[in-house]
Amino acid sequence: NAGVTQTPKFRILKIGQSMTLQCTQDMNHNYMYWYRQDPGMGLKLIYYSVGAGITDKGEVPNGYNVSRSTTEDFPLRLELAAPSQTSVYFCASSPLYRGGLRVVNSPLHFGNGTRLTVT
Amino acid sequence: DAKTTQPPSMDCAEGRAANLPCNHSTISGNEYVYWYRQIHSQGPQYIIHGLKNNETNEMASLIITEDRKSSTLILPHATLRDTAVYYCISHTGNQFYFGTGTSLTVIP
């Protein structure tokens, strides 16, 4: 398994531009998450999804949109990039089921991040 | 989800045990405590988790107090590669919330 794959690794945007950060996982995990991490800070939850067609806001959803049309993919969309969105973005996933049984608690599997600069 | 608090930084001598504390005084009965670490700017790496019993795996041990208001992550023999930011988070349901963590520096 490749695990959680994020693309691109780096991106520079101008103010007002839009872009989509891609995240895909090949572990058949139901849960997927987007976090952002500002320099010297912890991770803040942007959006999460408990399965295809279902998404919910986290702590800092403003300025972002997500969709979950398949189990594998959970793209994060920035419509009008602002300097405040300069950050490292991490995607993560976790399973709902393991071995046919529902998992009550399971750790997150993270991608390697996308470093975004908005100037 | 319970808020967790950790010291911002700690040092540990190489080869010694590193004991990283975490307070989670508002944790509820069904909230697990998870520990992750982040090396440089890589994605966080899962270490261990527990509910109320102490846990041990190949990476670390987790000691949770009887009242569940605090826990300690123990790295039994710290190496230079254990230098990282360590996050203690509580989790129930669908959401994990990270704080700012403890920056552990292992000193040769």
Side-chain angles (χ1 to χ4, degrees), chain B residues 26-97:
Chain B
T26 60
I27 197 168
S28 63
N30 61 347
E31 284 188 287
Y32 281 71
V33 177
Y34 280 76
W35 283 84
Y36 287 78
R37 72 181 183 185
Q38 188 175 29
I39 297 173
H40 299 299
S41 296
Q42 298 174 15
Q45 175 191 23
Y46 165 76
I47 302 173
I48 198 167
H49 74 284
L51 183 62
K52 55 184 177 181
N53 297 322
N54 298 338
E55 302 287 345
T56 295
N57 63 19
E58 65 278 3
M59 290 181 70
S61 294
L62 174 61
I63 308 298
I64 302 174
T65 58
E66 192 168 342
D67 62 8
R68 300 206 333 115
K69 293 184 184 301
S70 65
S71 60
T72 300
L73 177 76
I74 301 172
L75 308 178
H77 305 286
T79 71
L80 299 179
R81 286 178 293 181
D82 292 323
T83 292
V85 178
Y86 288 77
Y87 295 100
C88 162
I89 63 175
S90 62
H91 159 62
T92 185
N94 303 324
Q95 300 185 44
F96 293 79
Y97 291 99

Side-chain angles (χ1 to χ4, degrees), chain A residues 21-32:
Chain A
L21 283 68
Q22 301 291 346
C23 175
T24 187
Q25 51 91 10
D26 62 357
M27 298 172 284
N28 201 33
H29 286 174
N30 292 84
Y31 296 120
M32 294 189 75

